[in-house]
Amino acid sequence: IAGITQAPTSQILAAGRRMTLRCTQDMRHNAMYWYRQDLGLGLRLIHYSNTAGTTGKGEVPDGYSVSRANTDDFPLTLASAVPSQTSVYFCASSGTTGAVDGYTFGSGTRLTVV
Amino acid sequence: AQSVTQPDIHITVSEGASLELRCNYSYGATPYLFWYVQSPGQGLQLLLKYFSGDTLVQGIKGFEAEFKRSQSSFNLRKPSVHWSDAAEYFCAINTGGFKTIFGAGTRLFVKA
């Protein structure tokens, strides 16, 4: 089934540890995104990539990094996790630059930093 | 600044009753408009979108939305709600760039 796969589904992480959230899509979409979802705040964009080899910062990029080595994969790395990064993380993709066709979302990664 | 407001944090409707979820946006022109649905433990799924043309758009699962330029609104409606519609609903706008702005969401409860 075409879509986005995120891993892990959930994780408890000690503060200060490094963590990479994985995201893979099989739709050959050019653009990919990472959002975090927090209660009462909706979804906030962390980083995006409009095509392989390029990335950009979103609304809340501090403490996170991304890479886009190929079309399918868009990992999100927390270099040194802090409790405020406890959240649900969603990877998304869109078939056109600018996301005007809407997004396809993964099922999310629930991360707890203790 | 661009923003999306969903005035209702949660709404409860009876099964079989009609539904309207409100969405207002702030932007100097007409943006691309979207509604998404999120079931518990799942990612968001696109219900419908509006770019231009007919201001009443049809989506999946029997949902529709009406764009009203004068009110900067894009309200979501369904004539008859089913228990399976219980979920959280997000309105979103895109102004042509890489950033889609989401509202805070409205949680729908359906009572038997």
Side-chain angles (χ1 to χ4, degrees), chain B residues 32-43:
Chain B
Y32 298 89
L33 294 152
F34 307 88
W35 274 100
Y36 290 84
V37 60
Q38 183 181 30
S39 298
Q42 299 298 313

Side-chain angles (χ1 to χ4, degrees), chain B residues 34-108:
Chain B
F34 307 88
W35 274 100
Y36 290 84
V37 60
Q38 183 181 30
S39 298
Q42 299 298 313
L44 281 70
Q45 180 184 19
L46 181 65
L47 281 176
L48 46 77
K49 58 190 177 187
Y50 173 79
F51 299 155
S52 64
D54 191 345
T55 57
L56 185 64
V57 293
Q58 303 297 319
I60 62 172
K61 306 186 180 197
F63 285 91
E64 65 180 26
E66 184 173 15
F67 169 61
K68 292 186 177 180
R69 185 190 309 274
S70 62
Q71 299 177 19
S72 297
S73 69
F74 188 56
N75 294 349
L76 182 71
R77 302 195 294 244
K78 188 169 185 179
S80 177
V81 169
H82 187 262
W83 64 267
S84 61
D85 293 324
E88 188 148 21
Y89 293 81
F90 293 90
C91 181
I93 65 170
N94 182 283
T95 58
F98 289 99
K99 182 179 179 182
T100 294
I101 300 170
F102 289 84
T106 297
R107 182 164 295 279
L108 173 65

